[in-house]
Amino acid sequence: MVFDTDEASIDAWLSGLGAAQANTAFVTSALEAGTIRHLCPSVDATLGAYYAVVHARSNVADAFVAWLESEGEAGHRR
């Protein structure tokens, strides 16, 4: 899916329609509430960052988020 506004992308994402890239300013409250997680906390993004939203905790979801985090960290080290 492609959205023309950050707000539409974030709404779809929080509704369970996948992952999203968002400006941290738009998702600060969700980060603080624990609704979303920063995938690469050691990376200080200046133009945006990626977050994972998991609506139903499971071993599969946790493994996928762990894989995303490891890929993000590996990409940052390159």
Side-chain angles (χ1 to χ4, degrees):
M1 291 186 192
V2 177
F3 299 95
D4 60 351
T5 66
D6 286 342
E7 293 84 358
S9 175
I10 293 166
D11 286 342
W13 169 38
L14 291 173
S15 297
L17 297 176
Q21 179 178 350
N23 183 316
T24 303
F26 294 131
V27 295
T28 300
S29 61
L31 279 169
E32 291 171 352
T35 307
I36 61 175
R37 290 192 294 177
H38 192 284
L39 288 180
C40 300
S42 64
V43 176
D44 186 22
T46 56
L47 296 177
Y50 294 91
Y51 301 90
V53 176
V54 178
H55 291 279
R57 298 284 312 223
S58 71
N59 290 338
V60 172
D62 288 345
F64 178 67
V65 170
W67 175 80
L68 287 172
E69 290 171 340
S70 70
E71 288 297 303
E73 292 296 326
H76 181 64
R77 289 189 298 267
R78 291 184 189 146

